[in-house]
Short mmCIF file of all heavy atoms in Angstrom, two decimals:
data_model
loop_
_atom_site.label_atom_id
_atom_site.label_comp_id
_atom_site.label_asym_id
_atom_site.label_seq_id
_atom_site.Cartn_x
_atom_site.Cartn_y
_atom_site.Cartn_z
N GLY C 1 35.74 -39.09 23.19
CA GLY C 1 36.18 -38.47 24.43
C GLY C 1 35.21 -37.42 24.90
O GLY C 1 34.92 -37.32 26.11
N ALA C 2 34.69 -36.64 23.96
CA ALA C 2 33.70 -35.61 24.31
C ALA C 2 32.44 -36.24 24.87
O ALA C 2 31.86 -35.75 25.84
CB ALA C 2 33.38 -34.76 23.09
N ALA C 3 32.02 -37.35 24.26
CA ALA C 3 30.83 -38.05 24.73
C ALA C 3 31.02 -38.55 26.16
O ALA C 3 30.10 -38.47 26.99
CB ALA C 3 30.49 -39.21 23.80
N ALA C 4 32.22 -39.05 26.45
CA ALA C 4 32.50 -39.54 27.80
C ALA C 4 32.46 -38.40 28.82
O ALA C 4 31.89 -38.55 29.91
CB ALA C 4 33.86 -40.22 27.83
N VAL C 5 33.05 -37.26 28.46
CA VAL C 5 33.04 -36.10 29.37
C VAL C 5 31.61 -35.63 29.61
O VAL C 5 31.21 -35.35 30.74
CB VAL C 5 33.89 -34.96 28.78
CG1 VAL C 5 33.70 -33.68 29.58
CG2 VAL C 5 35.36 -35.34 28.76
N ILE C 6 30.82 -35.56 28.54
CA ILE C 6 29.43 -35.13 28.66
C ILE C 6 28.64 -36.10 29.53
O ILE C 6 27.83 -35.69 30.38
CB ILE C 6 28.80 -35.00 27.26
CG1 ILE C 6 29.33 -33.73 26.58
CG2 ILE C 6 27.27 -34.98 27.34
CD1 ILE C 6 28.90 -33.59 25.14
N ALA C 7 28.85 -37.40 29.34
CA ALA C 7 28.13 -38.40 30.13
C ALA C 7 28.49 -38.31 31.61
O ALA C 7 27.60 -38.35 32.48
CB ALA C 7 28.43 -39.80 29.60
N ILE C 8 29.77 -38.16 31.90
CA ILE C 8 30.21 -38.06 33.30
C ILE C 8 29.63 -36.80 33.94
O ILE C 8 29.12 -36.83 35.07
CB ILE C 8 31.74 -38.07 33.38
CG1 ILE C 8 32.28 -39.46 33.01
CG2 ILE C 8 32.22 -37.66 34.78
CD1 ILE C 8 33.78 -39.52 32.84
N ALA C 9 29.70 -35.67 33.21
CA ALA C 9 29.16 -34.42 33.75
C ALA C 9 27.66 -34.53 34.00
O ALA C 9 27.15 -34.04 35.02
CB ALA C 9 29.45 -33.28 32.78
N ALA C 10 26.94 -35.19 33.10
CA ALA C 10 25.50 -35.36 33.26
C ALA C 10 25.17 -36.18 34.50
O ALA C 10 24.26 -35.83 35.27
CB ALA C 10 24.89 -36.00 32.02
N VAL C 11 25.91 -37.27 34.70
CA VAL C 11 25.67 -38.11 35.89
C VAL C 11 25.94 -37.32 37.16
O VAL C 11 25.15 -37.35 38.11
CB VAL C 11 26.54 -39.37 35.84
CG1 VAL C 11 26.40 -40.15 37.16
CG2 VAL C 11 26.14 -40.27 34.68
N LEU C 12 27.05 -36.57 37.19
CA LEU C 12 27.39 -35.81 38.39
C LEU C 12 26.34 -34.73 38.67
O LEU C 12 25.95 -34.53 39.83
CB LEU C 12 28.78 -35.18 38.24
CG LEU C 12 29.96 -36.16 38.29
CD1 LEU C 12 31.26 -35.44 37.98
CD2 LEU C 12 30.04 -36.83 39.65
N GLU C 13 25.89 -34.04 37.63
CA GLU C 13 24.87 -33.01 37.83
C GLU C 13 23.56 -33.62 38.32
O GLU C 13 22.92 -33.06 39.23
CB GLU C 13 24.64 -32.22 36.54
CG GLU C 13 25.77 -31.25 36.23
CD GLU C 13 25.37 -30.22 35.18
OE1 GLU C 13 24.33 -30.40 34.51
OE2 GLU C 13 26.11 -29.23 35.04
N GLU C 14 23.17 -34.73 37.74
CA GLU C 14 21.93 -35.35 38.19
C GLU C 14 22.05 -35.90 39.61
O GLU C 14 21.09 -35.87 40.38
CB GLU C 14 21.51 -36.45 37.21
CG GLU C 14 21.11 -35.95 35.83
CD GLU C 14 20.11 -34.81 35.90
OE1 GLU C 14 19.14 -34.90 36.67
OE2 GLU C 14 20.32 -33.81 35.18
N LEU C 15 23.23 -36.38 39.95
CA LEU C 15 23.46 -36.88 41.31
C LEU C 15 23.29 -35.74 42.32
O LEU C 15 22.65 -35.90 43.36
CB LEU C 15 24.87 -37.47 41.40
CG LEU C 15 25.21 -38.28 42.65
CD1 LEU C 15 24.39 -39.56 42.71
CD2 LEU C 15 26.69 -38.62 42.66
N VAL C 16 23.86 -34.57 42.00
CA VAL C 16 23.81 -33.43 42.91
C VAL C 16 22.43 -32.77 42.94
O VAL C 16 21.86 -32.55 44.01
CB VAL C 16 24.89 -32.39 42.53
CG1 VAL C 16 24.70 -31.09 43.32
CG2 VAL C 16 26.28 -32.95 42.76
N TYR C 17 21.90 -32.46 41.75
CA TYR C 17 20.69 -31.65 41.69
C TYR C 17 19.40 -32.45 41.86
O TYR C 17 18.43 -31.93 42.43
CB TYR C 17 20.63 -30.87 40.37
CG TYR C 17 21.67 -29.79 40.30
CD1 TYR C 17 22.81 -29.94 39.51
CD2 TYR C 17 21.54 -28.62 41.04
CE1 TYR C 17 23.78 -28.96 39.45
CE2 TYR C 17 22.51 -27.62 40.98
CZ TYR C 17 23.62 -27.80 40.18
OH TYR C 17 24.58 -26.82 40.13
N ARG C 18 19.34 -33.64 41.35
CA ARG C 18 18.10 -34.41 41.44
C ARG C 18 18.15 -35.44 42.59
O ARG C 18 17.26 -35.49 43.42
CB ARG C 18 17.79 -35.10 40.11
CG ARG C 18 16.77 -34.34 39.30
CD ARG C 18 17.14 -32.88 38.98
NE ARG C 18 18.15 -32.73 37.94
CZ ARG C 18 18.55 -31.57 37.45
NH1 ARG C 18 18.04 -30.42 37.93
NH2 ARG C 18 19.47 -31.50 36.51
N CYS C 19 19.21 -36.25 42.65
CA CYS C 19 19.25 -37.29 43.69
C CYS C 19 19.45 -36.70 45.09
O CYS C 19 18.92 -37.23 46.06
CB CYS C 19 20.37 -38.29 43.39
SG CYS C 19 19.99 -39.43 42.05
N LEU C 20 20.21 -35.63 45.18
CA LEU C 20 20.46 -35.03 46.49
C LEU C 20 19.56 -33.83 46.75
O LEU C 20 18.66 -33.89 47.59
CB LEU C 20 21.93 -34.63 46.62
CG LEU C 20 22.90 -35.71 47.08
CD1 LEU C 20 24.33 -35.21 47.05
CD2 LEU C 20 22.55 -36.18 48.50
N LEU C 21 19.81 -32.72 46.03
CA LEU C 21 19.07 -31.49 46.32
C LEU C 21 17.57 -31.68 46.19
O LEU C 21 16.81 -31.36 47.11
CB LEU C 21 19.55 -30.38 45.38
CG LEU C 21 18.83 -29.03 45.54
CD1 LEU C 21 19.04 -28.47 46.93
CD2 LEU C 21 19.31 -28.04 44.48
N PHE C 22 17.12 -32.20 45.07
CA PHE C 22 15.68 -32.36 44.86
C PHE C 22 15.07 -33.30 45.89
O PHE C 22 14.03 -33.00 46.49
CB PHE C 22 15.39 -32.87 43.45
CG PHE C 22 13.95 -33.24 43.26
CD1 PHE C 22 12.97 -32.27 43.14
CD2 PHE C 22 13.57 -34.58 43.23
CE1 PHE C 22 11.63 -32.62 42.98
CE2 PHE C 22 12.24 -34.93 43.08
CZ PHE C 22 11.27 -33.95 42.96
N ARG C 23 15.69 -34.44 46.10
CA ARG C 23 15.10 -35.43 47.03
C ARG C 23 15.00 -34.89 48.44
O ARG C 23 14.00 -35.10 49.14
CB ARG C 23 15.91 -36.72 47.02
CG ARG C 23 15.52 -37.72 46.00
CD ARG C 23 15.99 -39.12 46.35
NE ARG C 23 17.27 -39.18 47.02
CZ ARG C 23 17.41 -39.35 48.34
NH1 ARG C 23 16.36 -39.49 49.12
NH2 ARG C 23 18.63 -39.39 48.86
N LEU C 24 16.06 -34.20 48.91
CA LEU C 24 16.05 -33.67 50.27
C LEU C 24 14.99 -32.57 50.42
O LEU C 24 14.29 -32.50 51.43
CB LEU C 24 17.43 -33.14 50.64
CG LEU C 24 18.54 -34.20 50.72
CD1 LEU C 24 19.88 -33.56 51.05
CD2 LEU C 24 18.19 -35.27 51.76
N LEU C 25 14.88 -31.71 49.40
CA LEU C 25 13.84 -30.69 49.42
C LEU C 25 12.45 -31.32 49.36
O LEU C 25 11.52 -30.87 50.05
CB LEU C 25 14.03 -29.74 48.24
CG LEU C 25 15.21 -28.76 48.32
CD1 LEU C 25 15.41 -28.08 46.97
CD2 LEU C 25 14.98 -27.72 49.40
N GLU C 26 12.32 -32.36 48.55
CA GLU C 26 11.04 -33.03 48.40
C GLU C 26 10.59 -33.64 49.72
O GLU C 26 9.42 -33.55 50.11
CB GLU C 26 11.14 -34.11 47.33
CG GLU C 26 9.82 -34.81 47.04
CD GLU C 26 9.95 -35.91 46.01
OE1 GLU C 26 10.95 -36.66 46.08
OE2 GLU C 26 9.08 -36.02 45.13
N ARG C 27 11.54 -34.27 50.42
CA ARG C 27 11.22 -34.90 51.70
C ARG C 27 10.79 -33.86 52.74
O ARG C 27 9.90 -34.11 53.56
CB ARG C 27 12.42 -35.68 52.21
CG ARG C 27 12.13 -36.54 53.42
CD ARG C 27 13.27 -37.51 53.68
NE ARG C 27 14.52 -36.81 53.95
CZ ARG C 27 15.71 -37.42 54.07
NH1 ARG C 27 15.78 -38.73 53.90
NH2 ARG C 27 16.79 -36.74 54.33
N ALA C 28 11.40 -32.67 52.65
CA ALA C 28 11.10 -31.63 53.64
C ALA C 28 9.87 -30.80 53.28
O ALA C 28 9.10 -30.43 54.16
CB ALA C 28 12.31 -30.71 53.80
N SER C 29 9.69 -30.51 52.00
CA SER C 29 8.67 -29.54 51.60
C SER C 29 7.66 -30.04 50.58
O SER C 29 6.75 -29.32 50.20
CB SER C 29 9.35 -28.28 51.04
OG SER C 29 10.26 -27.75 51.97
N GLY C 30 7.84 -31.27 50.09
CA GLY C 30 6.93 -31.80 49.09
C GLY C 30 7.47 -31.64 47.68
O GLY C 30 8.38 -30.84 47.43
N THR C 31 6.90 -32.38 46.75
CA THR C 31 7.41 -32.40 45.37
C THR C 31 7.30 -31.05 44.68
O THR C 31 8.23 -30.61 44.00
CB THR C 31 6.67 -33.47 44.55
OG1 THR C 31 6.83 -34.74 45.17
CG2 THR C 31 7.20 -33.54 43.13
N GLY C 32 6.17 -30.37 44.83
CA GLY C 32 5.97 -29.11 44.13
C GLY C 32 6.99 -28.06 44.48
O GLY C 32 7.59 -27.43 43.60
#
């Protein structure tokens, strides 16, 4: 159960911080 919670939390964090926040910033200001 703990592994499932950790996996779900990891996916949600990566979705928000990398797929959304990072990508949108990257498109506007570049990767660096």
Side-chain angles (χ1 to χ4, degrees):
V5 171
I6 285 173
I8 290 170
V11 173
L12 289 174
E13 286 195 346
E14 293 310 315
L15 192 66
V16 170
Y17 291 105
R18 261 57 75 176
C19 286
L20 274 175
L21 178 61
F22 171 74
R23 272 201 325 101
L24 294 178
L25 287 169
E26 183 182 42
R27 188 168 61 187
S29 305
T31 302

